[in-house]
């Protein structure tokens, strides 16, 4: 429980998983700074000291904690296996789920979707509003420049597990939606590897403490267009996740994306 906010009095009471992780901590800190939001319960897999005054419980107790605390929404930034397990716990407890976790296999997405039959589930690969705008711009540019080569480069900190990033995969899906001729994703190139038509190149860089950068290059023979987003810090993701949590709390069961929150005319998973 936070030192300064009474979670029973807050408008939005959230649960946080992965509370000891980079994003879990950021979400707890953003909640502490936001009026009307309280962290009702926070869990982590390994023992973790309190974060911003919030006690962090053992993630193995999540089922009993959801039943006793009854948060309005659970906000999850963990790993694919745990996010699926936590989605099951949310479905059983009737708690809406916001997950920003990335790196899911198709079967894990199916499991998340199954949970959305019981509770609202909002999945987004990126909660930065600038990325939502980037994705709209990429869709428009890719549609307006038929025949142009497209290459995507993402850069993240050296502790990121999944590659390419979830955001990169979302952008690739966006491009595929308007450029049906680009049907072969090529992850890096080496040796005798001339570019074939139909390729979309994907490049994942891991270095230092880079928060997250995504660049889409569209090139014809006499011009290039580069569209780039850089996250300055993780607060931008945490703020977006809290906006999503507030939006999701009273929704019907179903499958939602950050585009629904922004009313951007698409789910924007
Ligand atoms: N959608 C978005 O806007 C963003 C999404 N992300 C995504 O969020 C996720 C987390 O990122 P980040 O915070 O940097 O990662 P960290 O490694 O810093 O934190 C992950 C947290 O999840 C826990 N965790 C990991 N695997 C499991 C598991 N199998 N079971 C239970 N708990 C687990 C860890 O607990 P423990 O320490 O005990 O292992 C840790 O607390 C990633 O998928 C990342 O891509 C990140 C930033 C923005
Ligand atoms: O792991 C990260 O850090 C990030 N992951 C997300 C992703 O995989 O797209 C979003 C953001 O780029 C930071």
């Amino acid at each position: 429980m936070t030192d300064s906010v009474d979670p029973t009095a807050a408008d939005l009471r959230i649960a946080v998983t992965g509370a000891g992780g980079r994003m879990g901590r950021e979400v707890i800190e953003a909640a502490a700074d936001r009026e009307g939001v309280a962290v009702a319960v926070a869990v982590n897999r390994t023992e973790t000291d309190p974060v911003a005054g919030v006690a962090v419980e053992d993630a193995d107790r999540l089922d009993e904690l959801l039943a006793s605390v009854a948060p309005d929404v659970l906000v999850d930034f963990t790993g694919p296996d745990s996010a699926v397990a936590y989605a099951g716990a949310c479905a059983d407890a009737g708690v809406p789920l916001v997950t920003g976790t990335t790196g899911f296999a198709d079967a894990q997405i199916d499991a998340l979707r199954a949970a959305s039959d019981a509770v609202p589930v909002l999945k987004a690969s990126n909660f930065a509003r600038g990325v939502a705008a980037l994705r709209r711009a990429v869709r428009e540019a890719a549609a307006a420049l038929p025949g142009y080569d497209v290459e995507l480069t993402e850069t993240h900190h050296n502790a990121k597990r999944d590659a390419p990033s979830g955001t990169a995969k979302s952008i690739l899906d966006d491009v595929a939606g308007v450029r049906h001729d680009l049907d072969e994703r090529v992850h890096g190139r080496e040796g005798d590897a001339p570019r074939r038509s139909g390729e979309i190149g994907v490049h994942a860089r891991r270095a230092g403490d880079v928060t997250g950068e995504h660049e889409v290059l569209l090139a014809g023979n006499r011009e290039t267009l580069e569209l780039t987003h850089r996250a300055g810090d993780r607060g931008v993701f945490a703020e977006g996740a809290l906006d999503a949590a507030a939006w999701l709390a009273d929704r019907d069961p179903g499958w939602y994306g950050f585009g629904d929150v922004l009313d951007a005319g698409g789910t924007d998973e």
Side-chain angles (χ1 to χ4, degrees):
M1 309 291 171
T2 58
D3 289 338
S4 52
V5 180
D6 173 5
T8 57
D11 300 327
L12 182 71
R13 301 166 62 252
I14 64 168
V16 178
T17 51
R22 282 176 287 269
M23 277 307 301
R25 290 175 181 280
E26 204 72 44
V27 169
I28 292 171
E29 281 161 17
D33 288 345
R34 190 179 287 210
E35 198 170 336
V37 178
V39 179
V41 60
V43 302
N44 200 54
R45 185 168 53 168
T46 53
E47 197 173 335
T48 304
D49 288 338
V51 177
V54 176
V56 179
E57 314 284 352
D58 184 346
D60 286 344
R61 295 185 54 221
L62 185 65
D63 290 348
E64 81 184 74
L65 290 166
L66 290 183
S68 61
V69 173
D72 297 315
V73 184
L74 186 149
V75 179
D76 167 79
F77 288 89
T78 54
D81 290 340
S82 45
V84 167
Y86 298 154
C90 283
D92 290 345
V95 175
L97 169 69
V98 167
T99 181
T101 298
T102 58
F104 293 104
D106 289 347
Q108 292 171 318
I109 297 287
D110 291 344
L112 291 181
R113 281 186 176 272
S116 75
D117 290 339
V119 290
V121 174
L122 190 152
K123 175 186 167 302
S125 58
N126 201 304
F127 283 105
R129 284 166 187 262
V131 164
L134 171 74
R135 292 181 59 185
R136 288 195 294 277
V138 168
R139 286 194 287 264
E140 186 174 342
L145 301 172
Y148 281 45
D149 295 333
V150 182
E151 297 271 319
L152 187 154
T153 303
E154 55 96 339
T155 310
H156 284 84
H157 53 93
N158 57 24
K160 183 166 176 59
R161 296 177 73 105
D162 56 315
S165 68
T167 309
K169 290 180 183 171
S170 298
I171 293 171
L172 291 168
D173 289 344
D174 291 338
V175 173
V178 291
R179 283 287 305 276
H180 305 296
D181 56 315
L182 296 180
D183 55 7
E184 188 188 356
R185 296 178 185 181
V186 175
H187 296 271
R189 292 189 181 81
E190 191 181 25
D192 185 15
R195 195 176 209 290
R196 294 181 298 272
S197 68
E199 285 186 1
I200 176 164
V202 187
H203 311 277
R205 305 193 300 179
R206 297 289 175 265
D209 64 354
V210 177
T211 305
E213 300 180 1
H214 293 88
E215 178 203 289
V216 180
L217 167 68
L218 301 104
N221 286 336
R222 295 167 59 211
E223 61 175 348
T224 60
L225 172 63
E226 291 172 13
L227 299 167
T228 304
H229 177 271
R230 293 189 182 87
D233 60 54
R234 290 185 181 84
V236 74
F237 307 131
E239 292 292 341
L242 289 182
D243 292 343
W247 183 90
L248 193 70
D250 296 325
R251 302 284 151 185
D252 291 331
W255 185 251
Y256 302 97
F258 196 42
D260 295 312
V261 179
L262 303 176
D263 197 18
T267 57
D268 266 5
E269 287 173 28

